[in-house]
Amino acid sequence: MSNASLPPASRRSARWLAAGAALGIAAAGYGILRSGDERGLPDEAAASVNGTLISKDTFTRLVAGYESDTREPANPEIRAHMLDRLIEEELLVQRGLALGLAENDRRVRADIVQAMIRAAIVEAEAEQPSERDLELFYEEQREYFTTPGRVRIAQLFVRVEDAAADGPAHARAEQARAKLAAGAQLAEVRAALGSAELSPVPDALLPPAKLREYVGPSVLRVALEAEPGAWSAPVRSGMGYHVIAVIEREPASTPPLAEIREQVNAKWVRDGGDRALRRYLDGLREEADVRVREPMP
């Protein structure tokens, strides 16, 4: 009989009973399945497979998930099927490990690594900082929360078509800079000596990263260092020469903690998980016999 022909409750049961393979691997990664005494079952065990315990907690959570999904109690037959599935999963996990899947199958190794990472950081990510912790963290990470400054520039551009045109283009750019420095209007000088721009720089305050998209890194460096109001010497880019003037500059700023508390708290939690994982890995290294070939292959 196919699942489609079963009544809704039975289909849900089948889905729960068929969903076990991932549970076995995750349980192995988290240490839910633990070695036990083959001569008897301790109180916390629901079953034992080759000396490895399947905990009552694991079984209880599986049953609770089924009952939450189906909105009906798991009868003794369903519970027996669930425990059988956990036993079969453990048999498959043990067989897979015996066949070397953890060493040779990249996907299995990745699943185990991710399960262990989650186990190492889950407690740290659940912890919430005190007000004092948050204040200290905000001060330590002030640079991270600082909004970069913005700058508005005016530009005259002279295109360089090929190597032979470089000299004449530079001369035009120098001539344009002299006229602009003397007070000529940008529109007039641009019409007489400039070239059309494929993407004109917006007449607005822009963060450095955005301005770089329009003018490139060389012109950006000049814009960030120039004094407002003065026209620069021609700056060479990959496309030609740029003569720029900084019209307006807005300094970098750091919002007060009260305005970005949620963002600061999120980074505190995230960094706490990173620190917990680093401590866990360092501890594993200290307990392990790790040898590295010198020189490295």
Side-chain angles (χ1 to χ4, degrees), residues 5-277:
S5 64
L6 294 174
S10 297
R11 287 202 299 271
R12 288 195 295 267
S13 301
R15 186 171 68 252
W16 268 97
L17 296 176
L23 176 63
I25 293 176
Y30 278 95
I32 293 173
L33 304 180
R34 302 185 299 276
S35 294
D37 183 357
E38 295 180 351
R39 293 169 298 180
L41 292 179
D43 292 340
E44 70 272 16
S48 174
V49 182
N50 293 325
T52 295
L53 301 183
I54 299 174
S55 73
K56 286 182 180 177
D57 287 343
T58 300
F59 177 63
T60 300
R61 283 195 296 270
L62 184 63
V63 172
Y66 166 85
E67 293 179 340
S68 174
D69 182 62
T70 62
R71 300 182 183 278
E72 59 187 38
N75 62 39
E77 183 181 1
I78 292 295
R79 294 171 69 91
H81 276 300
M82 286 184 170
L83 186 55
D84 282 344
R85 177 48 56 92
L86 287 177
I87 291 171
E88 290 166 357
E89 287 167 1
E90 175 58 19
L91 288 168
L92 290 172
V93 169
Q94 291 181 16
R95 184 58 175 165
L97 293 175
L99 292 174
L101 290 183
E103 290 78 25
N104 303 317
D105 189 307
R106 295 299 304 173
R107 184 173 58 83
V108 172
R109 288 176 65 86
D111 288 343
I112 293 174
V113 167
Q114 289 303 313
M116 295 307 301
I117 288 174
R118 290 302 307 163
I121 69 176
V122 65
E123 184 175 345
E125 289 186 342
E127 183 181 353
Q128 291 298 315
S130 67
E131 185 64 25
R132 182 57 178 165
D133 288 335
L134 210 60
E135 291 172 355
L136 291 173
F137 182 74
Y138 169 76
E139 292 299 330
E140 292 171 358
Q141 301 289 324
R142 178 175 287 272
E143 183 176 348
Y144 176 87
F145 298 109
T146 295
T147 302
R150 299 187 298 170
V151 63
R152 179 164 68 98
I153 69 168
Q155 170 179 256
L156 182 141
F157 173 67
V158 180
R159 185 177 304 280
V160 176
E161 299 293 348
D162 51 45
D166 189 280
H170 183 269
R172 282 171 55 197
E174 283 283 14
Q175 184 181 357
R177 186 201 67 80
K179 288 181 176 294
L180 292 168
Q185 294 297 310
L186 174 59
E188 296 176 0
V189 179
R190 181 182 284 150
L193 299 170
S195 302
E197 301 176 39
L198 295 178
S199 298
V201 180
D203 184 20
L205 284 165
L206 298 175
K210 190 65 177 178
L211 181 59
R212 188 181 189 277
E213 296 177 6
Y214 288 98
V215 299
S218 298
V219 179
L220 175 63
R221 283 194 295 270
V222 173
L224 294 179
E225 297 171 0
E227 292 296 327
W231 288 94
S232 72
V235 182
R236 185 68 158 92
S237 73
M239 302 296 294
Y241 287 96
H242 306 251
V243 178
I244 69 166
V246 175
I247 307 303
E248 183 181 2
R249 176 174 284 120
E250 184 180 80
S253 62
T254 306
L257 175 59
E259 292 183 8
I260 57 171
R261 182 178 302 277
E262 185 174 338
Q263 180 183 347
V264 176
N265 188 87
K267 180 167 173 55
W268 190 94
V269 171
R270 186 168 61 251
D271 287 8
D274 293 341
R275 290 191 298 271
L277 178 59

